[in-house]
Amino acid sequence: MSTKKATSNDSDHGTDECGASTQSDRFPRSVPVATVVLAVVVVLSGCTGGGVLAPKAADAAGEEHSSSGESPPTFEEVAVQKGFEYETTGPNVGNGKGAVLVADYDNDGRTDVLTIGGDRPQLFRNTKSGFERTNALPALTNPVFKGGLFFDYDNDGWQDLLLLPRGSEAVFLENDGGTFRVRDIGLSVNLTWGTSAAAADYNQDGCLDVFITQNGDWRDTVPHRAQGKSLRHDNGNRNYLFRGNCSEFERVENAGIGGEKWSLATSFVDFTGDGWPDIHVANDFNYDVIYVNQRDGTFTRRRVDETNRHGMASEVADVNGDGRPDIFVTNIEYKRPERVWLMQNGLDMKSRGNNLLINRGNATFRDAATAYGVRRGGWGWSGNLVDLDNDGDLDLVHTTQDYNRKTGSPTNSQQTWKPTSKPPALWMRANDSFERINATRAGFEPSNGRGLAVLDYDKDGDRDLVVADASGKFKLYENRHVSGNWLQVQVKGTANQTAVGARVFVTTDAGTQIRYRNSRTNYFSQNSRTLHFGLANHTVRRVRVVWPDGTEHTFTNVSTNQSVVVRHDGSVTGENRTSVDGS
């Protein structure tokens, strides 16, 4: 059965939708439901984003240990045997290199992988049994690309690609049936040090707009903060906002996007719950920033006072189950920073650790990283909140590294330093918080990790990982965890309505989970757009989709352990492209 609604008179609200009275221990009870209506846009709160977390006392040790009560998932590194061989080349400058973006570029239903950081960007096609290099990308002569973004700029159903360079113009590649060609559609801005980009429909015209961030030029200078200067007037490079009309873009000059920070990652997501996407920017050597959408084409800038450190990642998920998107930002943490030479050499590195920014609902946040046990992660880079064991809870993983440790400053001012490889930092949901897991025992190998992308490359219903190494070979981790039901949902828009910004609610007899369909980049990485729901031992009762224009569809009789495609016209199909909604 499929229903279509565009008002807030939703009979599915309450305990039936959000499971307040029926949730099990795996899906703790939700807060009461609240709905906010603006025009025809309906925004829900009160549903679990993978289970509710109640803060616990800080984990003073912050060390890796075994999770109590459950066996963590195990991973196997399979890059070579699956034909996924790529490594970075050349020197690392500033925040280094090593990016990985995933998307189904040829629309065959399998997730492909783009790697950046070697001699040239390389697109790997998923062959079902592994990966193979393709010639889908044209020859690219720019010497250094830092990151990129897959997004469907013209709503034709094919993922286009924006590549972000250092010291050159951004390169836009239009996807023409699985082959890319360079086009100038208004995004060819000259970038000093491009880092990340995100896409959303900020003016609600059905077409995607693009926000691009930059870092400072590490070849010439260091941030003002590292020089003991004012944080207010930084010396990074400006970020850019572009408005799209589904055929081309124009730069927006007077939208309230300002400042020249050393930005590293961004999310273009509705943080206020009014249906209009806002912007989060993770800044290095400074405060993070939220640009609040004023619904008139402009934004108001808000400083996130809980930050002021070294924001690397911008990961968005509903961590505490109140229906609002929260933000996880990787940072730098060492228990004894005085023993790390880099923290003594004038860069003013503050060992304050990660931020977990819990959304209060009005674009203000409280930092709860210590309370939830995820403060300490070493030198963090890309991070992901993802259900790794299909138990219905969001787990946490982020790339990290170490550096040569010294007891004092070197006597030779020209002495160089090298990173020390470490496996990614891993936390699993445990009772009311996260618990640090021994990543080596989980199967992760040491690397100088930067980008980290999540996908299900083998379509077996669990989350696999790709790690981009800044100074070596990229790694492909196959998830060997086999227990737990699951559902994967893809949402497809129309020529006049992007799917970016849609919210998907999956209800079982244990409660409701929410996922957000977005098109954004984390630190040098981009995840699969397929939304994944771990279901433990439960089965699906209902799938509900709220589109950016306020249209809603509800589907029943959707089987578990499959991938489904939901379209804006209200149709839903499974892997075999037959109806699964029972109508």
Side-chain angles (χ1 to χ4, degrees):
M1 180 179 182
S2 172
T3 60
K4 179 175 179 179
K5 294 172 279 190
T7 73
S8 61
N9 296 323
D10 184 0
S11 60
D12 292 328
H13 287 186
T15 57
D16 186 44
E17 174 68 17
C18 295
S21 61
T22 60
Q23 290 181 338
S24 66
D25 292 338
R26 180 52 51 194
F27 292 84
R29 288 173 171 79
S30 303
V31 297
V33 175
T35 58
V36 179
V37 181
L38 175 66
V40 295
V41 180
V42 180
V43 181
L44 274 174
S45 63
C47 297
T48 65
V52 176
L53 276 178
K56 70 170 185 178
D59 181 357
E63 300 291 345
E64 295 182 348
H65 47 83
S66 298
S67 175
S68 59
E70 293 185 20
S71 297
T74 56
F75 294 84
E76 181 181 358
E77 206 289 304
V78 296
V80 173
Q81 71 183 72
K82 296 298 180 180
F84 179 70
E85 296 186 73
Y86 187 84
E87 63 181 309
T88 54
T89 58
N92 292 317
V93 182
N95 285 295
K97 56 171 61 175
V100 56
L101 293 78
V102 301
D104 180 10
Y105 84 92
D106 54 1
N107 283 350
D108 65 354
R110 296 188 292 270
T111 305
D112 311 298
V113 181
L114 174 72
T115 54
I116 301 173
D119 293 332
R120 54 161 292 178
Q122 179 63 56
L123 185 57
F124 288 84
R125 187 176 74 88
N126 189 330
T127 66
K128 190 175 182 179
S129 60
F131 291 91
E132 65 179 13
R133 288 173 176 255
T134 73
N135 294 316
L137 300 180
L140 300 169
T141 59
N142 190 287
V144 179
F145 284 105
K146 303 292 287 184
L149 175 71
F150 279 109
F151 69 110
D152 182 5
Y153 87 100
D154 54 0
N155 292 343
D156 68 349
W158 295 87
Q159 292 292 309
D160 308 297
L161 177 62
L162 176 66
L163 291 175
L164 306 176
R166 184 190 75 190
S168 184
E169 283 190 349
V171 176
F172 177 78
L173 301 172
E174 182 166 19
N175 188 341
D176 185 8
T179 301
F180 293 86
R181 59 191 178 99
V182 177
R183 284 199 60 199
D184 182 0
I185 59 171
L187 292 174
S188 301
V189 61
N190 190 70
L191 299 176
T192 301
W193 204 285
T195 51
S196 68
D201 180 12
Y202 85 90
N203 57 353
Q204 294 198 356
D205 64 353
C207 301
L208 286 178
D209 312 298
V210 174
F211 181 72
I212 298 175
T213 68
Q214 295 195 82
N215 207 236
D217 192 340
W218 286 94
R219 297 168 299 181
D220 298 332
T221 187
V222 294
H224 273 174
R225 173 177 172 180
Q227 304 174 44
K229 297 180 180 180
S230 170
L231 292 178
R232 182 176 180 182
H233 301 290
D234 213 337
N235 60 337
N237 291 285
R238 66 171 300 187
N239 300 328
Y240 296 101
L241 177 67
F242 294 86
R243 182 170 54 242
N245 62 9
C246 291
S247 62
E248 59 185 4
F249 292 85
E250 66 173 330
R251 190 187 306 176
V252 182
E253 296 288 355
N254 299 309
I257 305 294
E260 295 181 342
K261 308 301 181 186
W262 293 62
S263 304
L264 285 174
T266 185
S267 294
F268 212 158
V269 176
D270 176 16
F271 292 112
T272 61
D274 63 359
W276 297 71
D278 314 293
I279 300 172
H280 168 255
V281 182
N283 289 318
D284 201 0
F285 292 90
N286 217 305
Y287 295 92
D288 286 8
V289 169
I290 298 288
Y291 292 103
V292 181
N293 195 328
Q294 299 301 295
R295 297 172 286 179
D296 60 1
T298 67
F299 295 81
T300 298
R301 179 183 178 276
R302 294 184 185 175
R303 191 178 76 180
V304 184
D305 289 332
E306 293 78 7
T307 55
N308 190 20
R309 29 163 75 73
H310 300 279
M312 309 291 188
S314 179
E315 168 67 337
V316 174
D318 180 13
V319 173
N320 63 343
D322 62 0
R324 295 190 288 260
D326 308 304
I327 308 173
F328 177 75
V329 184
T330 50
N331 274 275
I332 299 172
E333 172 278 327
Y334 284 103
K335 287 184 294 183
R336 298 189 63 185
E338 71 277 3
R339 292 183 59 84
V340 182
W341 172 57
L342 272 180
M343 295 186 181
Q344 305 172 34
N345 73 346
L347 286 180
D348 190 27
M349 301 292 186
K350 299 298 184 183
S351 184
R352 300 180 183 178
N354 299 324
N355 291 116
L356 178 56
L357 302 173
I358 301 300
N359 191 346
R360 294 189 178 101
N362 56 355
T364 65
F365 299 82
R366 60 181 179 88
D367 185 15
T370 299
Y372 287 103
V374 297
R375 177 75 72 197
R376 291 179 170 176
W379 200 295
W381 299 102
S382 182
N384 280 283
L385 287 158
V386 54
D387 187 351
L388 294 173
D389 54 1
N390 282 347
D391 66 350
D393 291 333
L394 294 176
D395 309 302
L396 176 63
V397 58
H398 74 66
T399 51
T400 188
Q401 68 181 84
D402 208 340
Y403 287 94
N404 292 336
R405 296 170 181 262
K406 299 178 181 294
T407 57
S409 299
T411 57
N412 182 355
S413 61
Q414 300 300 314
Q415 180 172 345
T416 60
W417 50 269
K418 293 183 179 180
T420 301
S421 295
K422 292 188 68 175
L426 175 64
W427 291 262
M428 302 298 293
R429 185 69 58 85
N431 299 319
D432 293 331
S433 191
F434 291 95
E435 189 167 348
R436 186 76 177 266
I437 300 298
N438 187 306
T440 300
R441 294 177 184 173
F444 292 135
E445 299 179 3
S447 65
N448 186 11
R450 289 297 192 275
L452 170 66
V454 177
L455 72 163
D456 181 6
Y457 89 91
D458 51 2
K459 303 191 72 171
D460 63 352
D462 54 32
R463 304 278 82 184
D464 308 305
L465 304 172
V466 180
V467 173
D469 195 309
S471 55
K473 294 182 178 180
F474 286 28
K475 291 178 170 53
L476 172 64
Y477 289 104
E478 183 175 329
N479 192 333
R480 294 299 191 180
H481 196 279
V482 296
S483 65
N485 292 330
W486 54 275
L487 181 71
Q488 292 177 354
V489 180
Q490 299 181 56
V491 288
K492 302 286 188 180
T494 67
N496 300 315
Q497 176 59 60
T498 179
V500 174
R503 296 173 300 284
V504 177
F505 304 81
V506 171
T507 300
T508 70
D509 58 1
T512 297
Q513 298 181 59
I514 179 175
R515 298 287 185 267
Y516 308 96
R517 168 65 168 91
N518 53 48
S519 182
R520 63 181 184 84
T521 50
N522 205 315
Y523 180 87
F524 289 178
S525 53
Q526 184 178 18
N527 291 338
S528 168
R529 260 66 75 215
T530 299
L531 306 181
H532 181 85
F533 298 82
L535 305 175
N537 62 345
H538 305 287
T539 57
V540 177
R541 290 176 52 189
R542 181 167 55 252
V543 176
R544 182 168 174 265
V545 180
V546 181
W547 296 85
D549 65 358
T551 300
E552 300 181 34
H553 296 106
T554 300
F555 307 95
T556 58
N557 299 328
V558 178
S559 300
T560 57
N561 300 326
Q562 69 163 333
S563 296
V564 298
V565 178
V566 179
R567 294 176 174 82
H568 190 267
D569 63 5
S571 63
V572 56
T573 56
E575 285 287 278
N576 58 3
R577 299 296 183 259
T578 59
S579 175
V580 296
D581 66 354
S583 59

